[in-house]
Amino acid sequence: MLQQTQVATVIPYYNKWLRRFPDLAALARASESEVLHAWQGLGYYARARNLHSAAKTIASENNGKFPQLANELKSLPGVGRYTANAIATFAFDRSVPIVEANIARLLARIINYQQPIDSGRGREAIWQVASMLVPARSARAFNSALMDLGALVCRPRPKCQVCPVRRFCRASKPETLPRKKPRPRLKKLTESHLWIRNRGRILLQQSNGRWRGLWILPPLKTRSRAGPAIHLSIFPFTHHQITLQVFAQPPRKIDKQKQRWIDIDSIDSIPIPSPHHRAIADLLAARN
Ligand code: SF4
């Protein structure tokens, strides 16, 4: 949940998630729709799908026993080097390095690394330093300390005066580090969808694209005869800035394979991505 998302945002989702899926078996038993619904609002839904799929894999292939070694963890869906090592060290005190944004900044400064840390070479160089530093025992405490040092002291504006590792640090201009590659420019996209309402219901379609498994306003295939948009909003998605426009159309025959009439009263019980959820709330408020 914390990937690309701040702690304060995550806490209510995390508590709700644990109430809904109190253990691995409960998550493994849940339907994809329940999982996506519990994740709704956090975005990056691949994380929810991977978590669900990892729970099912552990339940079916590992008799429900949670793997403890980083290599075993890495074979689970959606678990890369960082996540595998973070679980291995924090949950099982294994001696493996971890590198997240705060630690990467801290280590780049300590060794005065002048190359971009988000290039393949830079990433490996920082992981290499973390591997050399991690102790054989008490790695959990060590890795927690590195994270805290990066988050609280070696911040983007470093507090070098109070830094406990100042003696070892080689950075002469720490505020210029870490270096990063220039960001790709945001690409602008426009996506058009339909607002089709039939008394107390609206038509939604299950996405098989970006929001696979979630329910969205049906996409508009051609804009001819669509009329003016009744809703416009902008949202970011990875390196894109997407304009969502919605057009009203009268009720019509639906594609029963993918589309469904949803009671307006039960909108909150199905998984809908936030931009579409906001558009629906906006349109319901404006049209009631
Ligand atoms: S001395 Fe300054 S730059 Fe070096 S690790 Fe400490 S806070 Fe970061």
Side-chain angles (χ1 to χ4, degrees):
M1 282 182 180
L2 285 165
Q3 284 171 4
Q4 314 281 336
T5 314
Q6 293 182 342
V7 176
T9 310
V10 160
I11 288 171
Y13 285 95
Y14 180 75
N15 290 334
K16 206 170 95 189
W17 180 273
L18 283 188
R19 277 198 298 278
R20 202 155 170 179
F21 311 116
D23 55 26
L24 191 136
L27 180 58
R29 276 196 309 270
S31 69
E32 184 179 78
S33 181
E34 285 174 278
V35 171
L36 294 176
H37 186 244
W39 200 269
Q40 184 173 310
L42 276 173
Y44 300 101
Y45 287 88
R47 298 177 296 173
R49 282 191 208 98
N50 284 330
L51 206 50
H52 187 210
S53 161
K56 289 202 281 193
T57 305
I58 296 170
S60 64
E61 291 172 20
N62 219 18
N63 289 327
K65 191 168 175 296
F66 203 91
Q68 298 198 3
L69 298 176
N71 278 346
E72 296 167 350
L73 287 157
K74 236 182 278 174
S75 66
L76 294 171
V79 177
R81 173 167 56 175
Y82 169 72
T83 309
N85 287 14
I87 297 171
T89 196
F90 292 129
F92 306 112
D93 206 10
R94 300 279 164 172
S95 174
V96 285
I98 54 163
V99 176
E100 38 69 273
N102 291 323
I103 294 182
R105 180 175 61 243
L106 168 72
L107 297 181
R109 286 170 173 173
I110 286 180
I111 64 165
N112 199 23
Y113 192 68
Q114 296 293 330
Q115 304 301 318
I117 57 159
D118 51 353
S119 65
R121 221 163 125 194
R123 223 171 275 132
E124 282 317 308
I126 298 294
W127 272 94
Q128 183 85 37
V129 178
S131 308
M132 279 159 40
L133 292 175
V134 69
R137 292 170 63 175
S138 303
R140 169 168 37 208
F142 175 83
N143 281 324
S144 299
L146 275 193
M147 270 177 126
D148 282 352
L149 193 54
L152 303 172
V153 179
C154 198
R155 296 166 59 85
R157 278 198 194 161
K159 300 180 180 171
C160 301
Q161 276 75 8
V162 295
C163 180
V165 299
R166 198 173 167 190
R167 271 194 307 139
F168 315 109
C169 181
R170 297 202 201 133
S172 50
K173 290 188 189 158
E175 59 293 336
T176 63
L177 296 176
R179 296 200 191 283
K180 295 214 174 144
K181 292 192 293 188
R183 285 198 175 187
R185 283 182 53 180
L186 274 188
K187 283 191 197 143
K188 292 188 177 180
L189 280 180
T190 297
E191 297 184 348
S192 304
H193 291 263
L194 291 170
W195 177 254
I196 304 177
R197 186 170 171 176
N198 191 357
R199 296 197 188 93
R201 301 177 304 167
I202 56 170
L203 187 65
L204 295 184
Q205 177 166 325
Q206 195 161 33
S207 167
N208 54 10
R210 178 191 308 137
W211 286 306
R212 184 162 51 86
L214 283 90
W215 292 84
I216 57 173
L217 293 164
L220 171 64
K221 298 211 174 80
T222 156
R223 270 208 59 188
S224 57
R225 290 182 287 132
I230 54 167
H231 169 91
L232 272 182
S233 54
I234 293 176
F235 64 94
F237 193 85
T238 59
H239 299 306
H240 295 90
Q241 186 194 67
I242 300 177
T243 300
L244 169 65
Q245 48 182 13
V246 182
F247 298 89
Q249 280 199 355
R252 57 165 185 196
K253 201 161 169 264
I254 70 170
D255 175 350
K256 286 191 179 157
Q257 294 273 330
K258 332 184 239 192
Q259 298 181 333
R260 218 195 277 165
W261 289 107
I262 305 288
D263 283 339
I264 287 167
D265 293 342
S266 61
I267 283 291
D268 286 337
S269 65
I270 60 165
I272 299 173
S274 295
H276 283 245
H277 200 270
R278 282 194 295 271
I280 291 169
D282 183 37
L283 286 164
L284 288 174
R287 302 190 148 229
N288 274 335

